Amino acid sequence: MSQPKSAAVQRRARTLTAGQRVLVRRLAERAAAWVRAGRRDDLDGVAAILGCALRLVLLGAGAYGAWWLIRRWPVVLWAAVPLWCWAAIRAIPGKGDEEEPKQPAQLPSRDAVLLLLHEVLGDRDAVHLSEVLQHLQSKGQGKGWKVQHLRARLEALGIPVELKLKVGRKGPTRGILKAALPPLSQPRETGPSPTPSTAV
């Protein structure tokens, strides 16, 4: 009876460890996106990155404050550790959430994806990945995909994805900036394509 219990404990430990890795990665991505958002595009040189430097200082001060608090009152760990474990468990991806499909679709040419993005963007400067995915699925492509799958494919093609992008009244989330899109390697065709698009 002890062996099954030991195996169950090991599975829970591995699950908690995986959840902590996901949680740390998400926190790091959000912190990096928050720091990058401090850059001023209307300024040049050092003045443009002062906001980023200030945000880095604030993050460092916050980390030092947390360390000082724990050193001063170790009893706070009784609350911090359970909260951390709870957050790590919640960060564990569900089946098909963070993981890639077992047989991912073939990546198309980058130009095909860029044409799709320009089509979704229209005359706008930015678009959220959720809208791109919805447009893609309306054409019968990317079935069963989530935003994570689309993001992975865009980044594999060298197309930059903004982690925190505000579009209209919607809150900041992952998206595409038209100004950040790489140029097409071939000029756009004016006539209809002889073959159906297999974008993304």
Side-chain angles (χ1 to χ4, degrees), residues 89-108:
I89 291 172
R90 283 181 58 89
I92 297 171
K95 187 177 181 180
D97 186 13
E98 289 278 344
E99 60 187 15
E100 290 290 316
K102 292 183 179 179
Q103 294 181 346
Q106 292 292 326
L107 288 174

Side-chain angles (χ1 to χ4, degrees), residues 64-177:
Y64 175 79
W67 173 83
W68 180 87
L69 184 66
I70 292 172
R71 290 271 299 183
R72 185 75 171 82
W73 294 290
V75 70
V76 299
L77 289 174
W78 286 100
V81 171
L83 285 174
W84 174 262
C85 293
W86 174 78
I89 291 172
R90 283 181 58 89
I92 297 171
K95 187 177 181 180
D97 186 13
E98 289 278 344
E99 60 187 15
E100 290 290 316
K102 292 183 179 179
Q103 294 181 346
Q106 292 292 326
L107 288 174
S109 67
R110 188 173 69 162
D111 282 355
V113 179
L114 288 172
L115 287 172
L116 170 75
L117 292 174
H118 280 291
E119 179 182 336
V120 178
L121 280 160
D123 58 355
R124 295 177 295 173
D125 295 327
V127 65
H128 284 156
L129 287 191
S130 56
E131 185 176 345
V132 177
L133 181 59
Q134 184 179 4
H135 180 80
L136 186 67
Q137 292 177 338
S138 70
K139 296 187 172 185
Q141 302 176 30
K143 292 183 179 179
W145 286 9
K146 294 184 181 295
V147 170
Q148 295 92 332
H149 302 135
L150 178 59
R151 176 191 173 191
R153 281 158 177 75
L154 292 175
E155 291 179 342
L157 291 170
I159 298 174
V161 175
E162 301 293 324
L163 296 181
K164 293 290 183 181
L165 185 63
K166 185 173 175 58
V167 179
R169 296 182 179 179
K170 296 181 180 179
T173 185
R174 291 173 174 81
I176 297 292
L177 270 175

Side-chain angles (χ1 to χ4, degrees), residues 31-45:
W34 184 67
V35 170
R36 284 197 301 267
R39 181 180 177 84
R40 294 281 301 273
D41 293 331
D42 57 332
L43 299 175
D44 295 323

